[in-house]
Amino acid sequence: MAVLEILEFPDSRLRTEAEPITEVTQATRTLIDDMLETMYAAPGIGLAATQVNVHQRLLVMDVSDDKSEPMVFINPQITVLDPELGEYDEGCLSVPGFYETVSRPQKVEVSALDRNGESFTCQLQGLAAICLQHEVDHLNGKLFVDYLSTLKRQRIRKKLEKDQRQRA
Ligand code: QAP
Ligand code: CO
């Protein structure tokens, strides 16, 4: 297993639209395990393949308190069950150090493939529903900062660009 490098905003590769996975293979399962290790190491509650520069429709998350419930979604399809919006202070491993309030539907159904290529459907609410929508946004090249004002987004971009220059 390996901890992968996470792309950071405003890296243009985070804007790539991911392609569906046509066959779930051993290579897919290795990527899943590396993404879970990367997410737990961060630590984070969700990670999309886009963030590790793999442009396939795959995401992992674990919103449990004791980090004991890894979840894997391949080619996820979301249906909103309750359009009522809930607010949550979201963060992102690709936007380190920033948390901002975003509104999203509170209850969704998701159909996806699991790590064995079997299809499943489940209903999610609360943090799991929010996290799933945040991660599916990544697969579509979208970031939570896109929901903020231009001013806020530019402030975040400038700060992260400075951090990245100092590290380089
Ligand atoms: C997405 O984000 C999410 O800024 C997952 O310095 C987050 O795991 C969805 C993290 C909240 C819904 C609500 C962020 C770690 C982790 C940071 C994460 C940081 C270190 C973010
Ligand atoms: Co994110």
Side-chain angles (χ1 to χ4, degrees):
M1 298 232 288
V3 173
L4 307 172
E5 191 183 325
I6 298 175
L7 302 179
E8 290 186 7
F9 178 68
D11 194 310
S12 62
R13 291 171 291 182
L14 288 168
R15 300 310 188 174
T16 312
E17 174 148 15
E19 299 285 344
I21 292 181
T22 53
E23 197 187 356
V24 177
T25 64
Q26 194 52 49
T28 315
R29 284 183 281 274
T30 299
L31 175 61
I32 289 166
D33 290 338
D34 288 348
M35 285 174 58
L36 283 166
E37 189 176 0
T38 304
M39 178 185 77
Y40 287 127
I45 60 168
L47 184 70
T50 309
Q51 294 175 275
V52 294
N53 201 28
V54 175
H55 301 289
Q56 301 178 6
R57 302 192 76 82
L58 162 63
L59 66 90
V60 299
M61 50 191 242
D62 187 338
V63 296
S64 69
D65 288 332
D66 57 355
K67 297 285 165 271
S68 64
E69 292 166 34
M71 302 170 88
V72 175
F73 299 90
I74 296 168
N75 301 340
Q77 299 278 3
I78 292 179
T79 309
V80 173
L81 294 181
D82 181 355
E84 192 176 338
L85 300 181
E87 290 189 339
Y88 201 91
D89 266 356
E90 295 190 15
C92 179
L93 289 170
S94 296
V95 190
F98 292 90
Y99 292 83
E100 295 286 347
T101 307
V102 176
S103 297
R104 301 187 190 267
Q106 309 237 46
K107 198 168 176 208
V108 299
E109 183 172 270
V110 55
S111 297
L113 302 180
D114 66 17
R115 60 182 292 136
N116 298 313
E118 306 282 348
S119 58
F120 68 98
T121 300
C122 64
Q123 297 188 358
L124 299 177
Q125 52 193 336
L127 182 55
I130 289 159
C131 193
L132 179 79
Q133 292 173 80
H134 173 117
E135 302 310 334
V136 170
D137 273 355
H138 278 299
L139 303 181
N140 295 326
K142 193 169 173 111
L143 297 168
F144 85 93
V145 296
D146 299 344
Y147 296 99
L148 310 177
S149 69
T150 307
L151 181 63
K152 269 192 181 168
R153 187 166 50 256
Q154 282 178 353
R155 279 195 191 132
I156 294 170
R157 178 169 57 78
K158 287 200 164 22
K159 172 68 163 58
L160 287 177
E161 281 173 342
K162 189 176 166 199
D163 292 351
Q164 289 158 22
R165 274 198 305 274
Q166 282 179 338
R167 261 180 284 146

